[in-house]
Amino acid sequence: MSDITLSAGVRQNLLSLQNTADLMALTQNRLATGKKVNSALDNPTSFFTASSLQARSNDLSALLDGMSNGIKTLEAADNGLTSITKTLESMKSTLSQARQDKSFETSSYIIDDATIGTAIAKTLSISGGAVGVTPIPWT
């Protein structure tokens, strides 16, 4: 092998190119990882601060996911309650329409004493919206 001798200017340019290549590699690493400092050797204070903030970010993300699940549960419960309310309003409307039909107040039904097997049935009369003497309450 032959010895290569470099002048001072060429040697300086070679070192400059090596430094540029190192900086490009560092920049590529930062772009690939999204982190300015990737190890404690680069900058211990920044590395541990970033690690702490990343852990806090993960905790907050987990809390956010839990809150989102809670909101979805509450929305489902609200939809269920709304549906139940609409069903009850429909039932109330149907009952109100039935109450406006006066035919049940004008008809009377009487069941007389009768012997059914060994049991005796008593008289039950329904008249004017009442069973016996107790009126049926309607709200």
Side-chain angles (χ1 to χ4, degrees):
M1 286 190 122
S2 64
D3 292 331
I4 300 175
T5 57
L6 300 174
S7 67
V10 172
R11 188 176 303 125
Q12 186 61 37
N13 287 341
L14 181 60
L15 288 175
S16 178
L17 285 173
Q18 286 175 339
N19 287 336
T20 302
D22 289 342
L23 289 173
M24 284 181 55
L26 178 64
T27 302
Q28 287 293 334
N29 189 24
R30 287 178 180 172
L31 289 172
T33 61
K35 296 178 181 178
K36 181 178 177 181
V37 178
N38 288 307
S39 72
L41 296 175
D42 294 338
N43 185 340
T45 304
S46 296
F47 176 76
F48 290 112
T49 300
S51 295
S52 169
L53 291 173
Q54 184 66 37
R56 182 70 177 143
S57 173
N58 292 339
D59 292 343
L60 290 173
S61 293
L63 287 173
L64 182 62
D65 289 343
M67 289 173 61
S68 295
N69 288 340
I71 288 170
K72 294 294 181 190
T73 301
L74 290 174
E75 286 174 350
D78 181 52
N79 290 340
L81 290 173
T82 301
S83 177
I84 289 171
T85 301
K86 287 180 181 178
T87 302
L88 288 174
E89 287 173 354
S90 174
M91 292 171 67
K92 183 178 177 183
S93 173
T94 302
L95 286 173
S96 295
Q97 288 176 353
R99 285 185 61 203
Q100 290 174 359
D101 180 12
K102 301 296 182 185
S103 65
F104 79 95
E105 292 181 1
T106 59
S107 301
S108 296
Y109 304 97
I110 297 176
I111 302 173
D112 291 326
D113 289 344
T115 303
I116 303 173
T118 58
I120 298 176
K122 297 292 181 179
T123 302
L124 174 66
S125 63
I126 300 174
S127 177
V131 177
V133 294
T134 306
I136 298 173
W138 294 96
T139 57

